[in-house]
């Protein structure tokens, strides 16, 4: 029969079932009559011919069912029948159903949650046109580390490079917005004119920056984010062209970004203003500071490697008509990376480690479900035997068991989506604030299809394996399995699956243990100061009200005096950089007696402008010399402090105290080193020793308009923080006071990324341990049920309850020990992938590898208690009598 006729016949049967059955029965009856007539023609009597035909072909009704079963249109009905039977079976076994569904929900929900978080960072292109052509460009140190470029470097590449359509630079800015609502400090960016064009985006209302907007003396203009426009200006359409006040200076709104715009370079930025740097590049100006982040859009057809080669060639061949200062000589070349790699780079190891962990957890969940299904199938041997005896072939039994496995997977997927929603909310709440593309994490179409794909894979793989395994012996095997003898093969399979579960759980436990040890070591790092009982806050003055450096310094002096007079404040001081807040401000430093910079340093140092009392408040130890004091006034000889790492690198053969250094270009004054202080962790607890220079705030060439107040209190600093803030406002209520925190909380926050990875890994490891314990319990409980006769005989022959319990414990610890050995071997290999996440701990840490077995064995002992108790309570008389 042709394919078309088969399809047409199938549709006819599905739509007109009764008529199709009558016609098929008539056709079968006609076929029977023809066979009878042939036999009669051969000499048989009609009665004998009918008997022989029935023996050969069977009854007409049975033949009709065989013909119907061979047709494709019977498949939907068969599947629906199997589904109804599977639903009834699951309802009759609620305990098995709940445990299996929860296990699947945990595995599917966890994998869906992690995929939702990793997809925007690792797998999706950035939300810009031709995003693969957008790159970041960094200056390069001698040891290959990238850092921010100077404006001079940006200008030179703009003139000499031919690989880019556009280049742009940017730096953070935190202005105070005033107007109809309360003053608000905002995260913003100062950008060059081509910033938005480099990303390939444009305002949805108004216009983009023009080159004329990015010149010194040009009118102040600003582009707003869609969120800020809605929040502060109620989405008013006439805001374009209207002036707003930033840092007491009017800025005209020229554009509003679309709601879909995602600024991966600074996710928290809510507005953008032109950079307005001097194109003449004064040698002592801000144009030569390494503080600008640079990005570019490649021309069509230009590869990233080609652009890097061109920039390295430019760096190696300076030209006389384009100036370079010594600390921006580009002698080590440039780093050029796709923007996506730059965004994902810091979190890629952690995300990959989490993906590996959730993959192991998903495998453990699948193994656990397989073990549960095998144990459940062992209790259905009688049913399988009866079905096989009544004529059900292996294919029919496999199909039914396969449908049950897929149904369980689908129910588990529905529960898994609910778990994923909860997990995603928790993951976002736990995520560090600098996790890239945090706003792009969501349960959308691709995530849903991922969950469907995982479910389908689990249903097909687990369902097929269980169905084939349970029906592998055919009719005879089913009958044998229905006997009271032990089913060694089935038990061995379930034991092997438990060993797999335990070994995978061990790998996750070792990884989690190493991260716990790493976090302990990180938080034990000496930050270089005493953080307890210290409260901090950022104080920012407006340039309009405090237009001169003297006015700025007087304001900070008055507010500091007021804070020191607050009851409960032991000491206080101001600094331009506060450790572990993300502040990054470096200057090139030159020593009079050692003008050449060593090969192992970049010649720059963190610049701290501090008031007297800051180092005493932070309790930063003095190594030699003296600290800065009120005597280091504006008219006194310029005095500075340096940290011990800087002293060791720059003055290895001489005493640092008394040496003269200069921050910045040739036009800057020399300062005398009057003291050496301990190293302080500025960017993170895990960073190496960085150079640092402390200047007296009264002697800096320019007054910093944003300073951090630190105050050491005699009691709880968090309780005193509101009083200190009100005290600062009592000096001038219109100035911004924000980012109030204790130094202890800043230390904890600085380790947020590692803590995030630790929490996720610990959750997965404990979940894996729980699943392994459930699997071990299931195997032991099933083993006790299957070995009732054996245990009864042992008891009758004199075995005590302690002996019976010890038998079960030996079985449990044999499985756990084998899984532990395999898991430890796997951990020794797999932890190489997570080595970059560790701090101060070897991946072969002895404490971790000793603690994990103890924890595992303790959990296995707990999982064994109930099966051992049940085995010990078996009555030998009842067992032998029933046998």
């Amino acid at each position: 029969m042709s394919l078309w006729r088969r399809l047409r016949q199938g549709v006819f049967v599905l739509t007109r079932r009764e008529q199709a059955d009558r016609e098929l029965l008539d056709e079968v009856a006609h076929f029977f009559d023809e066979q009878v007539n042939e036999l009669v023609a051969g000499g048989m009597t009609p009665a004998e011919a009918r008997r022989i035909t029935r023996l050969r072909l069977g009854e007409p009704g049975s033949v009709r069912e065989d013909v119907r079963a061979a047709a494709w249109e019977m498949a939907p009905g068969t599947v629906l029948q199997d589904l109804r039977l599977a639903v009834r079976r699951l309802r009759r076994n609620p305990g098995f159903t709940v445990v299996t569904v929860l296990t699947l929900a945990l595995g599917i929900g966890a994998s869906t949650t992690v995929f939702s978080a990793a997809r925007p960072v690792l797998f999706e292109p950035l939300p810009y046109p031709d995003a693969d052509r957008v790159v970041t460009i960094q200056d390069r140190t001698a040891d290959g580390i990238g850092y921010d470029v100077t404006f001079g470097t940006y200008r030179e590449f703009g003139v000499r490079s031919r690989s880019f359509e556009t280049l742009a630079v940017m730096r953070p800015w935190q202005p105070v917005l005033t107007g109809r609502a309360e003053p608000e400090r905002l995260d913003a960016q100062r950008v060059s004119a081509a910033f938005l064009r480099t990303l390939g985006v444009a305002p949805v209302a108004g216009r983009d920056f023009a080159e004329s907007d990015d010149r010194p003396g040009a009118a102040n203009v600003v582009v707003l984010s869609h969120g800020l426009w809605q929040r502060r200006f109620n989405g008013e359409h006439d805001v374009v062209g209207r002036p707003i006040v930033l840092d007491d200076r009017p800025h005209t709104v020229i554009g509003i970004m679309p709601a879909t715009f995602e600024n991966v370079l600074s996710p928290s930025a809510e507005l953008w203003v032109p950079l307005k740097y001097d194109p003449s590049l004064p040698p002592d100006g801000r144009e030569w500071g390494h503080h600008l982040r640079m990005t570019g859009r490649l021309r069509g057809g230009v590869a990233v490697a080609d652009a890097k080669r061109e920039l390295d060639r430019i760096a190696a061949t300076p030209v006389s008509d384009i100036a370079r200062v010594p600390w921006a000589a580009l002698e080590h070349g440039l780093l050029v990376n796709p923007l996506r790699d730059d965004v994902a780079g810091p979190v890629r190891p952690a995300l990959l480690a989490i993906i590996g962990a959730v993959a192991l957890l998903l495998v453990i969940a699948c193994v656990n479900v397989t073990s549960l299904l095998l144990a459940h199938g062992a209790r259905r041997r009688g049913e399988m035997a009866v079905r096989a005896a009544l004529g059900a072939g292996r294919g029919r039994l496999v199909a039914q068991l396969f449908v049950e496995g897929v149904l369980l997977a689908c129910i588990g997927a529905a529960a898994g989506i609910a778990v994923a929603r909860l997990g995603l909310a928790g993951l976002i709440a736990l995520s560090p604030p600098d996790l890239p593309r945090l706003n792009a994490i969501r349960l959308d179409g691709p995530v849903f299809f991922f969950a469907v794909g995982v479910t389908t894979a689990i249903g097909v793989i687990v369902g097929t394996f269980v169905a084939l395994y349970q029906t592998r012996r055919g009719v005879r095997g089913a009958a044998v399995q229905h006997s009271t003898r032990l089913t060694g093969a089935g038990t061995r399979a379930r034991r092997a699956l438990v060993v797999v579960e335990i070994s995978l759980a061990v790998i996750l436990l070792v990884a989690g243990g190493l991260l716990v040890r790493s976090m302990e070591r990180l938080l034990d790092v000496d930050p270089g100061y005493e953080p307890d009982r210290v409260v901090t806050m950022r104080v920012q003055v407006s340039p309009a009200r405090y237009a001169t450096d003297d006015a700025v310094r007087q304001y900070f002096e008055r507010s500091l005096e007021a804070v020191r007079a607050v009851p409960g404040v032991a000491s206080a001081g101001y600094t331009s950089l506060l450790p572990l807040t993300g502040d990054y401000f470096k200057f090139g430093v030159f020593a009079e007696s050692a003008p050449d910079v060593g090969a192992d340093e970049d010649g720059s140092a963190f610049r701290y402008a501090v008031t007297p009392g800051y180092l005493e408040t932070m309790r930063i130890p003095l190594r030699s010399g003296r600290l800065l004091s009120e005597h280091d006034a504006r008219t006194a000889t310029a005095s500075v402090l340096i940290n011990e790492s800087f002293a060791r690198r720059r003055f290895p053969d001489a005493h640092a105290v008394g040496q003269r250094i200069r921050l910045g270009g040739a036009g800057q004054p020399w300062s005398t080193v009057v003291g050496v202080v301990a190293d302080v962790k500025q960017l993170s607890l895990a960073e190496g020793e960085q150079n640092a220079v402390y200047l007296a705030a009264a002697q800096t060439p320019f007054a910093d308009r944003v300073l951090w107040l630190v105050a050491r209190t005699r009691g709880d600093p968090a309780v005193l923080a509101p009083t200190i803030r009100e005290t600062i406002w009592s000096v001038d209520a219109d100035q911004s006071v924000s980012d109030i925190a204790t130094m202890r909380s800043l230390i904890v926050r600085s380790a947020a990324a590692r803590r995030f990875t630790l929490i996720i890994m610990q959750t997965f490891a404990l979940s894996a341990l729980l699943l392994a314990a459930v699997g071990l319990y299931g195997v032991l409980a099933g083993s006790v049920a299957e070995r009732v006769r054996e245990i009864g005989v042992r008891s009758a022959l004199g075995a005590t309850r302690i002996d019976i319990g010890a038998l079960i414990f030996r079985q449990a610890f044999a499985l756990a020990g084998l899984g532990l050995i395999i898991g430890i071997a796997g951990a020794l290999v797999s932890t190489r992938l997570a080595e970059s996440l560790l701090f101060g701990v070897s991946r072969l840490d002895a404490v971790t590898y000793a603690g994990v077995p103890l924890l595992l064995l303790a959990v296995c002992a707990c999982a064994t208690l109930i099966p051992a108790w049940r085995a010990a309570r078996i009555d030998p008389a009842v067992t032998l009598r029933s046998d």
Side-chain angles (χ1 to χ4, degrees), residues 227-312:
L228 181 63
W229 173 53
Q230 292 286 338
R231 178 167 54 84
R232 286 288 299 222
F233 304 98
N234 302 317
E236 298 169 0
H237 293 286
D238 62 346
V239 72
V240 176
R242 186 192 304 174
I244 65 173
V245 180
L246 300 171
D247 282 348
D248 288 341
R249 292 180 178 175
H251 290 67
T252 302
V253 177
I254 62 170
I256 300 171
M257 295 304 295
T260 56
F261 172 57
E262 186 180 345
N263 183 13
V264 299
L265 291 163
S266 180
S268 62
E270 295 188 280
L271 57 85
W272 298 267
V273 299
L275 196 62
K276 292 186 179 180
Y277 276 15
D278 188 350
S280 66
L281 301 177
D284 57 348
R286 58 185 176 178
E287 286 73 15
W288 288 109
H290 285 275
H291 61 281
L292 296 176
R293 194 172 182 181
M294 187 174 178
T295 185
R297 176 173 286 271
L298 296 172
R299 295 186 185 276
V302 178
V304 175
D306 296 333
K308 184 181 186 309
R309 280 192 293 269
E310 185 201 38
L311 294 184
D312 285 342

Side-chain angles (χ1 to χ4, degrees), residues 644-663:
E644 53 188 332
S645 290
F646 187 25
R648 183 173 58 253
R649 291 191 183 107
R650 193 60 62 91
F651 309 107
D653 301 323
H655 293 292
V657 175
Q659 302 288 335
R660 294 212 307 169
I661 63 173
R662 184 185 71 227
L663 274 70

Side-chain angles (χ1 to χ4, degrees), residues 298-372:
L298 296 172
R299 295 186 185 276
V302 178
V304 175
D306 296 333
K308 184 181 186 309
R309 280 192 293 269
E310 185 201 38
L311 294 184
D312 285 342
R313 186 177 66 254
I314 293 173
T317 56
V319 293
S320 58
D321 56 340
I322 299 180
R324 289 186 192 175
V325 294
W327 60 88
L330 307 178
E331 56 187 357
H332 302 298
L334 283 302
L335 293 180
V336 182
N337 295 305
L339 178 58
R340 180 174 139 176
D341 291 350
D342 190 69
V343 170
V347 298
R348 187 187 302 274
L351 286 179
L352 291 177
I354 291 173
I355 289 174
V358 78
L360 290 179
L361 182 64
L362 184 61
V363 172
I364 292 173
C366 294
V367 170
N368 205 312
V369 170
T370 303
S371 180
L372 288 171

Side-chain angles (χ1 to χ4, degrees), residues 497-714:
L497 291 175
V498 168
V499 170
V500 172
E501 284 187 83
I502 292 174
S503 60
L504 295 177
V506 168
I507 295 175
L508 286 177
L509 286 170
V510 169
L514 290 175
L515 289 175
V516 169
R517 294 272 295 156
S518 180
M519 181 62 71
E520 290 176 351
R521 293 290 181 88
L522 183 66
L523 295 179
D524 286 341
V525 168
D526 181 10
Y529 52 86
E530 294 184 16
D532 295 327
R533 294 189 178 182
V534 175
V535 65
T536 72
M537 55 194 71
R538 188 198 304 260
V539 183
Q540 183 171 348
V541 298
S542 66
R545 180 168 300 188
Y546 299 94
T548 66
D549 287 347
D550 288 340
V552 172
R553 290 189 175 99
Q554 289 174 8
Y555 166 77
F556 283 117
E557 289 174 1
R558 293 198 309 272
S559 62
L560 183 58
E561 290 176 2
V563 170
R564 287 171 174 169
V566 172
V569 173
S571 61
Y574 276 115
T575 178
S576 59
L577 295 183
L578 186 66
L580 303 180
T581 57
D583 286 350
Y584 186 94
F585 191 22
K586 279 190 169 184
F587 262 67
V589 183
F590 300 90
E592 187 176 39
S593 61
D596 295 329
V597 178
D600 62 339
E601 61 174 322
D602 60 11
S604 64
F606 283 110
R607 170 198 176 273
Y608 296 83
V610 301
T611 63
Y614 166 73
L615 286 98
E616 295 90 334
T617 300
M618 294 286 285
R619 295 183 180 173
I620 299 174
L622 177 67
R623 300 305 189 199
S624 62
R626 66 173 178 86
L627 297 177
L628 299 174
S629 66
E630 282 79 1
H631 299 292
D632 298 305
R634 183 72 174 167
T635 56
T637 302
S639 301
V640 296
L641 306 174
I642 63 174
N643 68 337
E644 53 188 332
S645 290
F646 187 25
R648 183 173 58 253
R649 291 191 183 107
R650 193 60 62 91
F651 309 107
D653 301 323
H655 293 292
V657 175
Q659 302 288 335
R660 294 212 307 169
I661 63 173
R662 184 185 71 227
L663 274 70
Q668 298 302 315
W670 291 96
S671 300
T672 302
V673 177
V674 298
V676 177
V677 297
D679 293 337
V680 168
K681 301 293 185 181
Q682 175 61 31
L683 298 180
S684 76
L685 293 174
E687 73 175 352
E689 292 78 9
Q690 299 285 335
N691 297 337
V693 176
Y694 297 84
L695 299 82
Q699 296 180 339
T700 55
F702 58 90
D704 293 84
R705 297 179 179 275
V706 180
L707 294 178
W708 287 91
L709 175 77
V710 296
R712 182 170 295 276
T713 64
R714 297 184 178 88

Side-chain angles (χ1 to χ4, degrees), residues 178-201:
T178 54
R180 293 176 296 180
E182 293 182 358
E184 181 181 2
R185 189 184 63 82
L186 302 174
D187 286 331
Q189 284 182 297
R190 290 191 177 276
V191 300
S192 57
F195 171 70
L196 296 178
R197 293 193 296 277
T198 300
L199 296 180
V201 295

Side-chain angles (χ1 to χ4, degrees), residues 29-50:
H30 177 70
F31 179 72
F32 262 73
D33 291 343
E34 287 184 345
Q35 296 296 314
V36 171
N37 291 335
E38 287 182 7
L39 294 175
V40 170
M44 288 187 182
T45 64
E48 182 68 17
R50 283 192 293 272

